[in-house]
Amino acid sequence: MTKICKDKTGRDKRLHVFCEFVIAAVSGVSVSLLHVSAMVCAVIAFAVAIAAGIWKEVKDCRQEGNHFCVWDLAWDVVGSVAGGVFAFLASYYT
């Protein structure tokens, strides 16, 4: 039976939010240079950032002494949404 992670507010959660925000913002602004709609930029930014977060969690859970943490993914979603909103606004106003 797998253990359920209880680390909801660990020290690394802010880093998860920040990294996902940066990934989403950079990818969203990059996509906006293709002159697509602001909503498309936001969706692509969110998808790229959350895919990076899932990839990192899966990669980390295979390391010795590490585990798959759903709370890390929850904070990744927060950062990805914030980055997606940033990408939307950047695309809309440029």
Side-chain angles (χ1 to χ4, degrees):
M1 178 179 218
T2 52
K3 296 189 301 185
I4 297 174
C5 180
K6 295 182 183 353
D7 185 24
K8 294 180 184 179
T9 58
R11 291 177 35 188
D12 70 324
K13 304 310 183 224
R14 284 177 273 168
L15 185 61
H16 279 273
V17 172
F18 177 73
C19 289
E20 297 304 314
F21 174 79
V22 169
I23 292 169
V26 169
S27 63
V29 170
S30 299
V31 169
S32 74
L33 297 174
L34 301 174
H35 301 292
V36 296
S37 74
M39 186 57 75
V40 171
C41 288
V43 169
I44 290 174
F46 176 81
V48 167
I50 204 65
I54 291 170
W55 172 79
K56 186 190 177 310
E57 267 315 298
V58 169
K59 182 179 141 267
D60 286 350
C61 79
R62 294 180 179 168
Q63 293 176 345
E64 185 67 32
N66 209 339
H67 64 281
F68 187 87
C69 184
V70 294
W71 299 110
D72 285 351
L73 286 180
W75 287 107
D76 287 345
V77 169
V78 171
S80 298
V81 167
V85 169
F86 179 84
F88 176 85
L89 293 174
S91 177
Y92 186 78
Y93 288 110
T94 56

